[in-house]
């Protein structure tokens, strides 16, 4: 008969020592310890309010349309803007034209092509413009959104062609056009080719006006430079989100030029309403209803003729 193998006292001691190190919880329920293992927390779970420094739960901020409790209207991209603007968030995404990239072979310490690649990777968009078509408070409209996250929403050839494509889409469908602007100005990497977009977009707006189609602009933070000097200020109606910075040159540049202290709130949307540069400051949650009312009124004459 085979004899039982004698137990090695060293192995037994080792097992006891391991159990002691694991603690009483591992001896009672070994699987419980794994349930309380440290989990990774997403880096973007909380968002800091720029005005108050308050940390806001991301899902709460999204539910509030990216408006903080302090009233700061955070910058948002095309996807969120379309979702908030179109009825039930339903719309048709329209393509933007492809253009020649880096025509000047420009480098400002980093090649322009590399900057484009980085911006596309960060935003998931081909350039600063995105176009959608759908209903805004029951009114058919083409909506153009300028994404500040893409190289500061700078106006280059692709952005110019995107604006013209949106205007053509409105003309083809015989519907009004809405432009949400957000830009730091012209795209310096394209030089004079960028500045030419100011004239090209103006001609596209004239085509809308000749067709008696409304063109409404919603100025968001920030709208500056050549964008302000062109299509951002050529609308039939100009709305602005609260606290948006709107102007051509920045406040610091103006103060250094005129050597005077600017008044409080200078170049903010509320100040510009008082001066007649903006028609109305509208909270983000109210924009669809207000836009629908404006477009419905402006399209009333055309709809009567069509009937």
């Amino acid at each position: 008969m085979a004899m039982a193998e004698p137990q090695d006292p060293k192995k037994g001691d080792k097992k006891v020592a391991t159990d002691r190190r694991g603690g009483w919880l591992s001896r009672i329920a070994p699987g419980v310890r794994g349930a309380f293992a440290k989990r990774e927390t997403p880096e973007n779970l909380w968002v800091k309010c720029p005005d108050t420094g308050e940390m806001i739960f991301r899902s709460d901020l999204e539910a509030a349309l990216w408006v903080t409790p302090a009233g700061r209207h955070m910058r948002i991209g095309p996807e969120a803007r379309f979702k908030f603007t179109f009825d039930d968030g339903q719309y048709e995404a329209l393509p933007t034209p492809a253009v020649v990239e880096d025509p000047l072979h420009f480098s400002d310490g980093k090649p322009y092509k590399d900057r484009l690649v980085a911006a596309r990777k960060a935003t998931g968009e081909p350039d600063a413009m995105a176009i959608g078509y759908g209903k805004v408070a029951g009114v058919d409209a083409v909506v153009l959104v300028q994404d500040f996250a893409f190289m500061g929403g700078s106006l280059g050839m692709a952005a110019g062609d995107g604006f013209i494509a949106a205007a053509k889409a409105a003309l083809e469908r015989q519907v009004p056009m809405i432009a949400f602007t957000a830009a730091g100005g012209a795209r310096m990497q394209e030089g004079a080719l960028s500045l030419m977009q100011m004239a090209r977009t103006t001609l596209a707006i004239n085509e809308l006006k000749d067709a008696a189609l409304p063109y409404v602009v919603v100025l968001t933070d920030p709208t500056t430079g050549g964008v302000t000097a062109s299509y951002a200020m050529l609308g039939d109606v100009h709305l602005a989100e609260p606290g948006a910075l709107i102007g051509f040159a920045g406040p610091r540049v103006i103060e250094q030029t005129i050597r005077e202290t600017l008044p409080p709130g200078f170049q903010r949307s509320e100040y510009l309403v008082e001066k007649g540069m903006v028609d109305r400051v509208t909270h983000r949650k109210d924009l669809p209803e207000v836009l629908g009312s404006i477009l419905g009124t402006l399209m009333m004459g055309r709809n009567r003729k069509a009937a």
Side-chain angles (χ1 to χ4, degrees):
M1 186 172 71
M3 296 182 64
E5 185 178 347
Q7 185 177 358
D8 187 349
K10 293 183 178 179
K11 289 184 178 179
D13 294 344
K14 185 176 181 180
K15 184 177 184 302
V16 172
T18 302
D19 288 345
R20 287 175 180 172
R21 284 197 302 270
W24 65 271
L25 188 59
S26 64
R27 294 196 300 275
I28 297 174
V32 176
R33 291 186 73 240
F36 292 94
K38 184 178 180 181
R39 298 178 182 177
E40 294 184 3
T41 302
E43 294 181 0
N44 60 353
L45 189 61
W46 298 88
V47 179
K48 186 177 182 180
C49 176
D51 296 329
T52 64
E54 177 187 1
M55 298 302 293
I56 309 166
F57 198 43
R58 186 182 183 88
S59 61
D60 292 341
L61 194 56
E62 289 176 349
L65 309 184
W66 287 91
V67 179
T68 69
R72 168 64 74 96
H73 282 54
M74 306 282 282
R75 297 167 185 170
I76 58 175
E79 184 177 355
R81 182 68 72 179
F82 288 146
K83 179 182 176 182
F84 300 154
T85 303
F86 287 110
D87 295 354
D88 301 321
Q90 300 297 314
Y91 66 95
E92 176 190 353
L94 303 181
T96 53
V99 299
V100 177
E101 295 183 0
D102 194 15
L104 305 180
H105 305 289
F106 193 92
S107 177
D108 57 337
K110 183 176 181 179
Y112 179 32
K113 284 188 176 181
D114 291 349
R115 293 194 180 278
L116 288 173
V117 169
R120 286 167 182 161
K121 183 178 180 180
T123 63
E125 300 290 341
D127 210 273
M129 295 295 199
I131 311 169
Y133 169 68
K135 290 185 179 295
V136 179
V139 181
D140 290 327
V142 170
V143 177
L144 177 78
V145 177
Q146 196 164 7
D147 188 4
F148 189 80
F150 195 103
M151 297 186 69
S154 49
L155 177 60
M157 292 190 299
D161 275 14
F163 186 96
I164 294 170
K168 286 183 176 179
L171 287 166
E172 290 171 0
R173 292 165 171 78
Q174 290 295 288
V175 298
M177 175 177 167
I178 302 169
F180 287 87
T181 61
R187 189 168 297 178
M188 69 174 188
Q189 291 89 347
E190 296 183 14
L193 296 172
S194 174
L195 298 177
M196 289 171 61
Q197 308 312 311
M198 298 169 63
R200 296 181 69 228
T201 54
T202 300
L203 292 175
I205 295 170
N206 286 340
E207 291 185 20
L208 289 172
K209 293 183 182 298
D210 291 342
L213 291 172
Y215 169 58
V216 177
V217 180
V218 181
L219 303 153
T220 72
D221 182 65
T223 298
T224 60
V227 171
T228 307
S230 55
Y231 57 85
M233 283 297 150
L234 294 176
D236 297 305
V237 178
H238 295 93
L239 305 179
E241 289 191 330
L245 176 67
I246 304 164
F248 183 71
R252 178 176 55 84
V253 175
I254 295 174
E255 284 188 335
Q256 290 177 350
T257 303
I258 65 175
R259 297 182 180 180
E260 291 184 12
T261 302
L262 299 174
F266 181 76
Q267 289 187 322
R268 295 292 173 177
S269 52
E270 292 80 4
Y271 181 87
L272 297 180
V273 166
E274 296 178 5
K275 303 301 178 183
M277 189 173 176
V278 173
D279 295 309
R280 175 173 174 176
V281 176
T282 307
H283 194 284
R284 186 171 291 166
K285 65 180 176 60
D286 298 325
L287 275 172
E289 182 181 351
V290 172
L291 286 169
S293 176
I294 291 171
L295 296 180
T297 301
L298 295 178
M299 289 291 287
M300 194 176 296
R302 289 179 58 91
N303 293 337
R304 283 178 179 172
K305 288 182 179 179

